[in-house]
Amino acid sequence: MALRFYRNPILKGLPARGTMHTTKKHKTGKRTSTRNPKGPTYREEPHLAFFSPDEIDPVLEALEKKNAHFKRKKKTNGVDSRYQVPKKRTRAFGQHATCYYCGHHYVWGANGITDSLMCSNSRSWHCWNSIGFNGPEAAQKMLGVILESLSLLEGIDAQYQEILQQAQSGGPEKLRTRENKLNRVEEEIEREGEKIKKLIREVENIDSNLLYEMMSELTERKKKLSLDRVAFELAKKRQLNLPKSTLELKEILQHHLEDIEIHSHEFGDLIRELVPEIYVYQVRLIDGGHLLPRAKIRLNLAGSIPDAASIPEVQQLLSQEFTLDLLEPPQRELIRPEAVRLAATGLEQREIACQLEEKPTQTAVWNALKLQKQMLKQGLSSPYVFVDEPPEDYGKLRKHKNKKYSFQAKAGYQRPSL
């Protein structure tokens, strides 16, 4: 931000002209503004100078060297690898994963780490969840989950083909049934809207939060109805193009996943289709320690098939929700199951440490067994507990203590159930 201001050559008394110029696109006949390859022209205006070149140039050069590792990677020929690429098109999880606490999306560059993601609202001091997670590792885990889900498709092939047969054999009668259902939903939404208007006119001191929730819910229902209308119109006009079996669907998705590199934007585009919802929240071991990001994910294996949206039964059959840990567990939790099993055989902690594959210290084994005792004492099957607010005993998370911090959730956002 400092460089954007101090790089302006007018501060040295050198106003610039011709930094950008227009180029004509003959395909469309329009002109677009691009950077001038010849560079700008300058004129000397000493009365505008705040610094001399000898004062400001060394500072700018030092800042540029210090921040060089933050720049976009260049190709061998010097062309920007992100030239003319839309900013909304990023790698997997960028501007896609959602913060469970405030509803804003995650962005790349968590706490200065280029391969990590964090809540964008936390950067503005409006969310305490500043814990990041590694994007490439999360993408690799997500790929494994998708491939595992594809291996289970053969078990539901009979249900899938039955749904397709019903959808194709319904003909005009099924379309009329869907249209009548959509009309009933539209009438119901209109009645709800009239009730809200009547409530506003009759009640003087109505709760603004309650009114906002009612209007938000009604708006979401209208959006869903609009999408269902579009899908219905598509179904009326043409024959749906869907895989004839789950085996064919599996082959299509495997072909896409094998040909796409997980660090590419194409993989990010595919993940947005297959995983429409990713809510990231924090968990912690019951004995304390670092906060660990975990995600609630809704997987839709038919998300990359456009016509699948026209058959809700297919969407429901091929969708599932699951939990994905975005970081590796701490060592005491990683070795806990095996350490407990070996301890039950009568081995001492030092002997357990020697037999474990991770080769932990005796202290790590003691911590793992202590964690197991706490779980049994509290009657828990998992050592992780959900973190709803910043822990007071966690010294690495103090953003919410700053005077300029104020929590602001996204307008209309409601936390999903975990």
Side-chain angles (χ1 to χ4, degrees), residues 111-345:
N111 304 311
I113 305 174
T114 54
D115 279 341
S116 292
L117 297 104
M118 71 179 295
C119 172
S120 59
N121 202 30
S122 179
R123 287 184 169 183
S124 305
W125 297 82
H126 295 317
C127 180
W128 61 267
N129 180 24
S130 59
I131 309 296
F133 67 90
N134 187 282
E137 291 182 2
Q140 192 66 48
K141 291 182 179 180
M142 181 64 70
L143 179 61
V145 169
I146 294 174
L147 293 176
E148 183 180 355
S149 300
L150 290 178
S151 64
L152 303 176
L153 282 178
E154 296 180 6
I156 59 173
D157 186 61
Q159 295 174 264
Y160 177 82
Q161 294 194 15
E162 182 180 355
I163 292 174
L164 285 188
Q165 186 177 2
Q166 292 177 356
Q168 294 171 357
S169 63
E173 292 184 2
K174 189 172 181 65
L175 291 175
R176 281 195 294 270
T177 303
R178 287 182 60 185
E179 185 175 18
N180 293 334
K181 183 178 179 180
L182 292 175
N183 292 335
R184 288 195 299 270
V185 173
E186 185 175 7
E187 292 173 0
E188 184 180 349
I189 291 176
E190 291 179 357
R191 287 195 298 269
E192 291 292 335
E194 293 299 327
K195 289 181 181 179
I196 294 176
K197 292 178 182 179
K198 184 179 179 181
L199 184 64
I200 295 174
R201 288 194 298 265
E202 295 179 353
V203 181
E204 295 181 359
N205 298 324
I206 187 171
D207 187 358
S208 58
N209 293 329
L210 176 62
L211 180 62
Y212 183 78
E213 290 180 5
M214 294 171 63
M215 294 299 296
S216 299
E217 181 181 355
L218 194 64
T219 302
E220 290 298 323
R221 292 175 62 187
K222 288 182 178 179
K223 289 181 180 178
K224 186 178 183 305
L225 176 63
S226 178
L227 294 175
D228 291 343
R229 285 282 189 190
V230 172
F232 171 73
E233 294 299 328
L234 289 175
K236 282 175 57 178
K237 293 179 180 178
R238 61 180 176 84
Q239 184 71 23
L240 298 180
N241 183 17
L242 292 169
K244 296 180 177 60
S245 64
T246 55
L247 179 60
E248 184 178 345
L249 174 63
K250 178 180 177 180
E251 292 177 351
I252 292 173
L253 293 179
Q254 283 183 336
H255 175 72
H256 290 324
L257 293 171
E258 290 173 358
D259 292 345
I260 297 180
E261 207 269 329
I262 63 171
H263 300 285
S264 66
H265 300 110
E266 290 76 13
F267 182 77
D269 296 339
L270 182 61
I271 287 296
R272 289 179 182 86
E273 295 175 344
L274 298 179
V275 188
E277 293 180 5
I278 305 177
Y279 291 97
V280 181
Y281 57 96
Q282 303 298 325
V283 295
R284 195 185 193 191
L285 291 176
I286 56 177
D287 60 352
H290 293 298
L291 303 189
L292 305 173
R294 178 178 280 183
K296 176 187 177 182
I297 294 173
R298 183 169 69 87
L299 175 65
N300 180 14
L301 295 177
S304 60
I305 310 297
D307 287 347
S310 303
I311 306 178
E313 293 82 2
V314 170
Q315 297 270 13
Q316 185 177 359
L317 179 65
L318 298 177
S319 297
Q320 58 177 313
E321 292 184 354
F322 58 91
T323 300
L324 180 67
D325 287 331
L326 300 178
L327 279 184
E328 294 297 329
Q331 186 186 44
R332 60 187 183 280
E333 165 57 16
L334 191 63
I335 66 175
R336 179 184 59 83
E338 187 65 15
V340 170
R341 187 187 67 80
L342 294 175
T345 62

